[in-house]
Amino acid sequence: FSYYISTYTMPRVLNEGYCTGALVPAERTCLFDNATLFDISIVSLSEPLGVILMLLAIEKFGRIKPAIGVGLLAVLLPTTLYFCVNRSWLFWFLLLQRMAIAAAALLSPILIAEYSPTVIRSCMISVLVTANRTGGIIGILCSEFLFNEGVRLVFVAIQATNLLFVFCLMGLKRETVGVELT
């Protein structure tokens, strides 16, 4: 959910800004200058870097601690965007947020597979995929609605879903690195 909201809202935030309070007319929302297109490209290309860094972190620190770390990072970064920041800071906050959300998205199927007993593992992964796709549909619809109601509502939605992710992770009791699966 938060991945899709950030993916669909980020170009409008970079293009239209978020501090003016004025909505850009619909005919101008898809007109991007070259600097905005470049920023969108770099932010989008940061996702594989977030995934690679997460793969390195989970081998060193286990699965749960890095997952909680990126979840908290994805909760804390939008907090800074409640205040008006200049465009270069906005770019860096969005870049780090997308890296964190992509890394968290990588860990969800890994954790489901490792914590589920063998007899229901494939069913649990199917449930995760279904929830992911349903969240994607809802996230795309919500991103447009929330952006038009007030762009800070988008940040609240991202924070709320990532906070829920962190609370679910904190309920996991055991670390699975180096443990044989059952």
Side-chain angles (χ1 to χ4, degrees):
F1 181 80
S2 64
Y3 175 81
Y4 292 102
I5 286 182
S6 67
T7 301
Y8 280 86
T9 306
M10 182 259 310
R12 285 188 70 184
V13 169
L14 283 171
N15 191 40
E16 300 170 23
Y18 67 99
C19 286
T20 61
L23 288 177
V24 174
E27 60 272 1
R28 287 191 34 226
T29 58
C30 292
L31 300 176
F32 299 104
D33 61 356
N34 288 338
T36 302
L37 290 174
F38 180 76
D39 288 349
I40 292 170
S41 301
I42 297 300
V43 169
S44 298
L45 290 173
S46 71
E47 290 180 19
L49 179 61
V51 169
I52 290 168
L53 291 174
M54 180 53 68
L55 287 172
L56 296 172
I58 63 176
E59 289 304 316
K60 180 151 179 74
F61 302 109
R63 312 295 194 251
I64 298 172
K65 290 176 189 171
I68 290 173
V70 296
L72 287 175
L73 185 64
V75 169
L76 295 176
L77 282 171
T79 304
T80 58
L81 298 178
Y82 289 132
F83 310 102
C84 293
V85 295
N86 67 28
R87 185 177 170 88
S88 63
W89 282 104
L90 175 65
F91 168 77
W92 286 106
F93 287 130
L94 291 174
L95 182 122
L96 290 172
Q97 179 188 12
R98 287 286 292 274
M99 285 175 68
I101 291 173
L106 165 79
L107 280 175
S108 298
I110 292 172
L111 290 170
I112 291 289
E114 289 185 357
Y115 278 91
S116 301
T118 304
V119 293
I120 63 166
R121 188 171 294 143
S122 62
C123 178
M124 292 302 294
I125 291 181
S126 297
V127 168
L128 176 72
V129 168
T130 303
N132 185 13
R133 292 187 179 159
T134 304
I137 293 167
I138 294 169
I140 292 167
L141 296 172
C142 284
S143 67
E144 188 69 26
F145 173 75
L146 292 174
F147 192 90
N148 290 332
E149 289 299 314
V151 72
R152 287 176 178 84
L153 291 174
V154 173
F155 304 143
V156 170
I158 291 170
Q159 286 178 305
T161 54
N162 286 313
L163 198 57
L164 178 65
F165 175 70
V166 169
F167 284 141
C168 290
L169 288 173
M170 293 172 97
L172 299 177
K173 301 293 183 212
R174 61 184 169 89
E175 183 59 66
T176 58
V177 173
V179 176
E180 188 172 324
L181 300 176
T182 59

